[in-house]
Amino acid sequence: MYFIGIDLGTSAVKILLMDKDGIIKKSVSREYPISFPRPGWSEQNPEDWYEQTKDGLRELLSDIDKTKVKGIGFGGQMHGLVVLDKDDNVIRPAILWNDGRTVQETEYLNQEIGKDKLSDYTANIAFAGFTAPKILWMKKHEPENFKRISKIMLPKDYIAYKLTGIHCTDPSDASGTLLFDVKNKCWSKEMMAICGVTEEQLPTVYESYQVVGTVKEDIVKEFGLDKDVKVVAGAGDNAAAAVGTGTVGEGKCNVSLGTSGTIFISSKKFRVDKNNALHSFAHADGNYHLMGVVLSAASCNKWWMEDILRTTDFAGEQKNINNLGTNQVYFLPYLMGERSPHNDPNARGAFIGMTMGTSRKDMTLAMMEGVAFAIRDSYEIAKSLGIDVERTKMCGGGAKSPLWRKILANILNLKVDILAVEEGPALGGAMLAAVGCGVYSSVEEIAEKIVKVTETVEPDPEIVALYDKRYRVFKSIYPSVKDLFQEMQTQD
Amino acid sequence: MEYLLGIDIGTSSTKTILFDTKGNIVASSVEGYPLHQPHIGWAEQDPEDWWHATVNTIQEVLAKSGVNSHQIKGIGLTGQMHGMVLLDKGHNVLRPAIIWCDQRTQRECEEITERVGKEQLIEVTANPALTGFTASKVMWVKNNQPHIFDRIDTILLPKDYIRFKLTGECATDVSDASGTQFLDVPNRKWSHKVLEKLDIPKEWMPELYESPVLSGKVSHGAAQITGLKMDTPVVAGGGDQATGAVGNGVVKSGIISSTIGTSGVIFAHMDKVGIDPHGRVHTFCHAIPGSWHIMGVTQSAGLSLQWMGDNFGGAERELASFMNLDPYELMSLEAEQAEPGCQGLIYLPYLMGERTPHLDPYARGVFFGITAKHNRSHMIRAVMEGVTYSLRDCLEIIRDMDVPIQDVRASGVGGKSKLWRQMQADIFGVSISSINTSAGSALGAALLAGVGVGIYENVNEACAATIEKVDRAEPIEDNSLIYNKYYPVYRRLYDDLSHSFKDIGLIQEELNALRHRGNE
């Protein structure tokens, strides 16, 4: 029995084939272009996604017993706006998550509608990347296109629609639209009214592991598949990746240090913090999750090593650093502004506290600690909402650094688990398909059976105590320089 | 031919230079020595290291120049200020010298302020109690090493120890003595009042002279070791700031010097004594009899760039040695690739705390305003800009004291680097000149010797005979505009972060205390 996971990423689609025991048999990927028609704009053509997905599937299925494929699931880039007319034609290129054209619309939502109301309706506040501001932008700037909208969907949902003919989405991805009432898992009437859309235009919401339909006949034929291949709704990339790392159920945690960093905490209860510092989203396991985003994580390391030190020997620079907890230098990792918890696009990075005795290693350590402190900022908020977390997983490029693992374990005071395989959202998508096909009774069950930890880093109580002190200093720095960030912005 | 010898006991090395009477360098020699940091914030040197370096460099200068030692008409001494050298009755050195950049004496500064009174301290010594100054170092020994304190017979400054070794005389000059906090600066004599309040016997103070006055003659023993002629006159000389100013021609009202050495100094001549009541800039006796100077100090100026080079400049060092260049020339080239203002990347140069204008030993270094667009060249340029902003802090205070600013002369690294000269012109908003000599302190010391032995009539004459302006950098308006926007941000950054500096410092002190207890 095989399951296919499709991760519709920003630069490429990754597709993998998993057997019922969670063994990954094969994986392929196909790239597609991204266009930046104006500075700050970022678009992709949904037809490219579909063409490349089909091309990838052909390769994936080329030398296996196709009849053993039982289900397909998704992970995908979130927030992107895909609009179809009544004849299912794509009206305009998809506006992606990293598109920045919606500054005014975002401000309108946060200031004029108000964060309190948004939080009331959706459990979140507006970000330029979210879908609702994109809809408002289209309404204002492309009224003709706007009038033609028959179906609104998210990127991965376009693939599901093409494969099954079902207009669907899932709660985790829907949470990133700002049209979705996360707590009650339904479309928000208020938000629909604000954006000028109707429920008919929006996709039907299925749980991520629920079957939405079967693959259409012509596609079955085209690929030589069994005629009853089930398609599940899938999940947004963060939630799908969390399934792949077993971050499901109550109080599970995963820290991913990729270009940006995330801390993802799953919760059986709906929770939201009063400042909306964390995203409060529905999860792919049928529950909820909180997520903090550090915009520059492993990218701080890459910047420091490549642009400042001008070295490629990252590991060499980190070797023999062993003064954890006693470094006197602090680093604010806000090289691209910051999301959680400050929501401050003007924030900038800083090294603070150097003396003549400060060495290159101290600076490197400070940089890595700064990222971990920023993750702790989000973790502290989650804790304050009453979530009990005992250990965390760690993945992404940053997890390859033994030093960063140790720093994170001690700064968060959590055991840090490193996973045997790190396959990202595609694996989560396949796992959701396996649950949908009834091989496992729940997302929690499959995660428990197939996610394997290879190494655990334990915090050291002495170092933890030292870092607690230093964290208090770290926390006090941003508020004292916040106004300067703003001032510098107006000078540029 | 007649020659003059200038000996400069610096922090990283001793530089000995032989000049002719036109101020031309005939021969020079440098020898380095270590700086010991037994704890964070401590800085000590071995006076014997200075003496060995002095002997070796004199020998080398004599050998290189081929000048007969009887043609050397006079010797001027200069050197790092504030350092404390303690001698016992037999004139043996009692402990390593605690030098100017040592920061251990915060508590003693509080004690001095309490004993003397803050206002009186500034009125008499022209300065608040400062960790860098000699008095707090003596008080530290009193509080922490009483067995050594009890054996003190004489307190000397670094260059004065060399005088003692050369001539057998224990003496100092008014400019260097101004940095001890024992001197009555307006009246140019030891302050019995301050000494009494600190319970320090006035007998421990050496003989006090004006800078161009003869203080002794080379002894038989020293002549034998160094190759100098016995009885060569040695003038009192001056602290490196005062002699550096003489060597830059800062001997008249309106002329300001901006020197980027290890520390950075803005220095102005004053005909009448003037004192900043907040003690942010220092008023000292000048090396010219009857005049004073005012001085703002940024603690880590060239030191900042050196820190950057030592920690991050491996490739530049290698390439520079391959190309036979100064690594700082390469760093300067990198800095030129970044635009003025560094797109908002701002550096605070407080690697060793700060004197002017903050008087804050807890202050620390900062890189602020970093974005993903910034690269290595921005970091290097930001260091140079941050140091220059800090010098502007000094200049602003001096300007507020109604000292005329007509002609700013750049020297040190900041005078040598074209980029840094222009940056100073742009950030200060005044034209910057540089002069035909970079011998600085050593030249100033030699000129004082020339005055002392009658080659020149007075210090002004000596400068007129030897120093000319050679280069001028005018402010570029576009650049000044950018710097004028970032300077207020630079100013606020310290205010916003000062409590964090203190937090970091207190945590560090706590950890040190724990470690001490652990060791016991």
Side-chain angles (χ1 to χ4, degrees):
Chain A
M1 236 188 263
Y2 292 142
F3 303 94
I4 292 173
I6 300 175
D7 170 23
L8 194 75
T10 310
S11 53
V13 57
K14 283 169 219 142
I15 311 175
L16 64 75
L17 191 73
M18 181 192 87
D19 73 9
K20 68 173 188 354
D21 301 317
I23 310 291
I24 292 155
K25 295 305 210 185
K26 200 175 167 186
S27 70
V28 302
S29 83
R30 287 289 184 279
E31 294 185 1
Y32 27 74
I34 182 165
S35 70
F36 305 104
R38 291 193 201 176
W41 290 26
S42 171
E43 300 182 346
Q44 270 174 341
N45 194 344
E47 278 107 355
D48 289 346
W49 296 334
Y50 185 54
E51 285 312 311
Q52 293 309 313
T53 302
K54 281 209 298 188
D55 200 49
L57 277 172
R58 263 188 287 276
E59 188 193 337
L60 188 84
L61 299 170
S62 59
D63 52 0
I64 59 143
D65 181 355
K66 300 177 182 73
T67 60
K68 288 168 90 176
V69 174
K70 296 298 171 201
I72 299 175
F74 306 95
Q77 49 169 305
M78 297 173 70
H79 314 298
L81 174 66
V82 181
V83 281
L84 306 188
D85 68 12
K86 62 180 188 340
D87 303 320
D88 284 350
N89 299 309
V90 171
I91 296 173
R92 69 169 332 285
I95 306 176
L96 304 191
W97 62 277
N98 55 356
D99 184 291
R101 77 185 70 181
T102 55
V103 175
Q104 278 181 9
E105 288 74 17
T106 308
E107 215 173 273
Y108 163 76
L109 288 168
N110 283 333
Q111 306 309 328
E112 292 189 34
I113 302 296
K115 289 181 180 176
D116 288 349
K117 276 193 185 152
L118 295 181
S119 180
D120 240 22
Y121 303 152
T122 72
N124 291 284
I125 55 173
F127 290 92
F130 282 16
T131 323
K134 300 186 199 307
I135 294 174
L136 285 174
W137 181 90
M138 209 176 144
K139 189 174 161 193
K140 181 171 175 198
H141 296 273
E142 297 178 350
E144 292 306 311
N145 282 341
F146 185 78
K147 266 183 233 153
R148 285 171 56 209
I149 296 176
S150 160
K151 294 186 177 70
I152 295 171
M153 55 186 77
L154 293 159
K156 72 167 197 321
D157 304 331
Y158 181 73
I159 305 300
Y161 184 62
K162 294 296 269 188
L163 292 178
T164 65
I166 310 289
H167 183 207
C168 63
T169 192
D170 81 288
S172 71
D173 218 359
S175 299
T177 60
L178 204 73
L179 288 158
F180 192 65
D181 174 350
V182 171
K183 185 177 179 190
N184 300 304
K185 293 199 199 167
C186 60
W187 297 114
S188 154
K189 292 200 170 46
E190 291 86 352
M191 288 309 296
M192 286 191 286
I194 288 165
C195 293
V197 297
T198 62
E199 190 148 5
E200 289 67 49
Q201 292 170 304
L202 295 171
T204 309
V205 183
Y206 295 83
E207 289 293 350
S208 299
Y209 50 84
Q210 270 182 340
V211 175
V212 301
T214 53
V215 177
K216 286 197 285 193
E217 220 175 288
D218 53 327
I219 301 167
V220 165
K221 268 193 207 135
E222 187 184 339
F223 285 92
L225 293 168
D226 211 28
K227 66 176 187 312
D228 195 27
V229 178
K230 294 186 169 70
V231 175
V232 297
D237 48 12
N238 287 306
V243 170
T245 60
T247 312
V248 292
E250 179 64 23
K252 296 288 167 46
C253 182
N254 180 53
V255 173
S256 165
L257 300 185
T259 302
S260 61
T262 55
I263 177 166
F264 187 109
I265 300 173
S266 59
S267 160
K268 291 204 165 173
K269 236 176 83 187
F270 168 78
R271 304 169 205 256
V272 61
D273 68 276
K274 63 178 190 315
N275 298 318
N276 297 96
L278 304 181
H279 297 318
S280 169
F281 282 10
H283 195 6
D285 62 355
N287 301 310
Y288 299 93
H289 73 84
L290 293 168
M291 190 172 78
V293 180
V294 172
L295 288 179
S296 309
S299 57
C300 290
N301 188 46
K302 191 171 146 58
W303 166 81
W304 175 246
M305 297 291 175
E306 291 179 355
D307 295 347
I308 306 301
L309 302 185
R310 300 249 160 126
T311 178
T312 49
D313 184 12
F314 294 17
E317 288 291 339
Q318 294 175 11
K319 225 170 73 185
N320 299 326
I321 293 182
N322 42 31
N323 52 326
L324 268 61
T326 61
N327 191 8
Q328 299 182 46
V329 183
Y330 293 78
F331 177 69
L332 303 186
Y334 312 142
L335 302 186
M336 311 267 291
E338 189 53 308
R339 177 78 66 85
S340 314
H342 307 308
N343 280 330
D344 182 355
N346 298 328
R348 289 173 176 234
F351 281 102
I352 291 154
M354 290 90 76
T355 68
M356 270 313 284
T358 299
S359 69
R360 175 183 183 116
K361 280 185 184 155
D362 295 336
M363 298 289 277
T364 300
L365 178 59
M367 176 275 299
M368 299 171 80
E369 289 171 336
V371 173
F373 281 136
I375 293 281
R376 178 163 170 178
D377 273 343
S378 292
Y379 174 56
E380 292 287 332
I381 293 166
K383 270 208 302 198
S384 75
L385 298 176
I387 300 189
D388 204 10
V389 175
E390 195 179 279
R391 56 203 306 139
T392 184
K393 296 177 177 85
M394 184 177 181
C395 60
K400 295 201 180 83
S401 155
L403 178 61
W404 229 336
R405 295 174 186 176
K406 217 170 137 188
I407 291 170
L408 192 78
N410 285 294
I411 284 183
L412 297 183
N413 191 19
L414 290 174
K415 296 185 179 88
V416 167
D417 293 324
I418 307 299
L419 301 177
V421 278
E422 216 188 277
E423 274 297 337
L427 176 61
M431 288 165 72
L432 291 169
V435 174
C437 293
V439 180
Y440 295 90
S441 66
S442 70
V443 180
E444 274 177 85
E445 190 202 342
I446 186 171
E448 201 162 301
K449 293 230 166 98
I450 75 171
V451 177
K452 301 252 169 5
V453 170
T454 53
E455 196 196 324
T456 297
V457 182
E458 305 266 347
D460 171 338
E462 252 175 64
I463 300 177
V464 167
L466 292 170
Y467 272 134
D468 273 343
K469 246 183 207 158
R470 299 199 58 234
Y471 175 65
R472 284 202 288 277
V473 177
F474 174 87
K475 227 171 76 172
S476 72
I477 294 175
Y478 172 80
S480 29
V481 294
K482 186 176 145 191
D483 294 348
L484 271 183
F485 289 135
Q486 178 68 40
E487 203 167 293
M488 291 177 85
Q489 191 55 30
T490 55
Q491 290 192 347
D492 278 357
Chain B
M1 280 293 273
E2 296 182 320
Y3 299 95
L4 296 164
L5 193 65
I7 301 173
D8 180 3
I9 313 300
T11 310
S12 53
S13 60
T14 282
K15 200 192 288 171
T16 297
I17 308 184
L18 187 67
F19 299 93
D20 65 19
T21 53
K22 297 253 181 320
N24 298 309
I25 295 176
V26 178
S28 74
S29 169
V30 179
E31 185 173 308
Y33 28 71
L35 171 80
H36 305 290
Q37 291 184 280
H39 296 283
I40 288 179
W42 290 26
E44 300 186 348
Q45 281 184 328
D46 183 352
E48 288 311 309
D49 285 346
W50 301 332
W51 174 236
H52 291 308
T54 305
V55 171
N56 292 339
T57 51
I58 292 174
Q59 286 173 349
E60 194 180 322
V61 161
L62 289 173
K64 266 195 202 167
S65 66
V67 164
N68 189 321
S69 59
H70 76 260
Q71 293 173 288
I72 299 177
K73 295 299 165 194
I75 299 171
L77 297 173
T78 181
Q80 49 170 308
M81 298 174 67
H82 313 298
M84 176 196 67
V85 182
L86 300 178
L87 303 186
D88 69 9
K89 230 181 277 167
H91 290 165
N92 303 302
V93 172
L94 278 166
R95 73 177 314 293
I98 301 181
I99 70 166
W100 62 276
C101 51
D102 188 288
Q103 296 280 345
R104 79 182 74 175
T105 56
Q106 189 55 37
R107 245 193 52 196
E108 282 70 25
C109 288
E110 283 157 25
E111 184 186 342
I112 292 171
T113 310
E114 202 174 296
R115 283 186 180 220
V116 183
K118 192 174 175 184
E119 276 168 28
Q120 187 159 44
L121 199 61
I122 292 181
E123 257 167 49
V124 176
T125 71
N127 292 289
L130 291 168
T131 52
F133 280 37
T134 324
S136 71
K137 302 180 197 300
V138 177
M139 297 301 279
W140 185 89
V141 174
K142 185 177 184 183
N143 291 338
N144 295 280
Q145 300 180 328
H147 57 290
I148 289 176
F149 185 82
D150 290 343
R151 291 169 55 202
I152 297 176
D153 180 76
T154 304
I155 299 173
L156 293 178
L157 294 162
K159 74 164 195 319
D160 301 324
Y161 180 70
I162 299 305
R163 178 192 337 277
F164 166 71
K165 297 294 277 186
L166 279 175
T167 67
E169 303 289 340
C170 290
T172 191
D173 78 288
V174 288
S175 72
D176 215 0
S178 301
T180 60
Q181 207 131 42
F182 296 131
L183 194 78
D184 177 346
V185 170
N187 296 305
R188 303 172 92 94
K189 56 178 213 240
W190 294 120
S191 166
H192 292 182
K193 212 183 297 169
V194 169
L195 287 167
E196 259 164 41
K197 290 204 169 153
L198 300 181
D199 284 331
I200 291 172
K202 59 178 191 294
E203 293 73 30
W204 291 1
M205 297 299 120
E207 201 63 47
L208 185 66
Y209 295 103
E210 289 291 336
S211 295
V213 172
L214 291 189
S215 65
K217 291 175 175 178
V218 173
S219 68
H220 177 67
Q224 277 193 324
I225 298 168
T226 58
L228 291 168
K229 196 170 151 278
M230 196 175 123
D231 290 339
T232 306
V234 178
V235 297
D240 54 5
Q241 292 308 327
T243 55
V246 172
N248 280 322
V250 184
V251 291
K252 277 194 285 213
S253 182
I255 304 179
I256 310 278
S257 72
S258 167
T259 307
I260 302 176
T262 303
S263 59
V265 176
I266 293 287
F267 188 107
H269 176 280
M270 283 192 300
D271 295 326
K272 272 189 296 195
V273 62
I275 295 172
D276 173 33
H278 307 292
R280 294 165 302 173
V281 289
H282 310 312
T283 300
F284 284 18
C285 298
H286 202 345
I288 303 158
S291 69
W292 285 263
H293 69 74
I294 190 165
M295 185 169 106
V297 181
T298 181
Q299 198 92 327
S300 310
L303 201 64
S304 287
L305 202 61
Q306 192 191 327
W307 172 80
M308 188 86 190
D310 286 352
N311 282 295
F312 307 108
E316 285 87 344
R317 271 199 302 282
E318 235 171 81
L319 186 60
S321 108
F322 181 73
M323 296 172 73
N324 198 19
L325 286 172
D326 180 346
Y328 293 104
E329 279 179 52
L330 295 180
M331 288 175 73
S332 203
L333 281 177
E334 287 178 277
E336 269 178 74
Q337 292 172 14
E339 54 285 70
C342 286
Q343 295 184 35
L345 175 56
I346 293 174
Y347 171 75
L348 300 189
Y350 308 142
L351 297 179
M352 309 241 355
E354 188 54 303
R355 268 156 82 168
T356 313
H358 306 305
L359 301 174
D360 180 359
Y362 287 109
R364 282 166 178 258
V366 170
F367 282 107
F368 181 82
I370 307 171
T371 70
K373 286 179 294 190
H374 288 115
N375 63 36
R376 184 184 184 84
S377 58
H378 294 101
M379 297 278 268
I380 297 171
R381 189 183 182 107
V383 166
M384 298 171 78
E385 290 181 352
V387 168
T388 314
Y389 287 137
S390 174
L391 291 171
R392 175 163 170 185
D393 278 347
C394 303
L395 203 62
E396 295 291 336
I397 294 171
I398 290 176
R399 212 194 298 261
D400 287 347
M401 290 173 72
D402 294 328
V403 173
I405 299 171
Q406 286 148 5
D407 176 8
V408 176
R409 295 186 178 179
S411 67
V413 213
K416 261 185 249 165
S417 155
K418 194 169 175 226
L419 175 66
W420 221 335
R421 283 203 303 271
Q422 186 61 50
M423 202 181 273
Q424 290 178 78
D426 295 341
I427 289 179
F428 300 161
V430 295
S431 67
I432 299 285
S433 58
S434 53
I435 51 172
N436 60 332
T437 164
S438 60
S441 294
L443 174 63
L447 293 180
L448 291 173
V451 175
V453 299
I455 292 175
Y456 314 108
E457 199 168 313
N458 56 41
V459 181
N460 267 314
E461 294 274 307
C463 291
T466 51
I467 298 165
E468 334 165 22
K469 279 196 262 181
V470 289
D471 182 80
R472 219 175 159 79
E474 298 294 338
I476 297 170
E477 209 178 311
D478 287 353
N479 296 351
S480 294
L481 200 80
I482 296 168
Y483 289 131
N484 280 334
K485 279 181 193 246
Y486 284 123
Y487 178 62
V489 179
Y490 168 90
R491 296 272 319 172
R492 255 197 52 197
L493 199 48
Y494 169 81
D495 296 338
D496 289 352
L497 287 173
S498 58
H499 73 274
S500 298
F501 294 144
K502 185 113 200 226
D503 286 347
I504 299 171
L506 292 178
I507 289 181
Q508 200 49 37
E509 282 167 17
E510 228 175 281
L511 288 177
N512 286 345
L514 280 177
R515 214 168 294 150
H516 272 295
R517 234 176 291 157
N519 289 343
E520 272 159 20

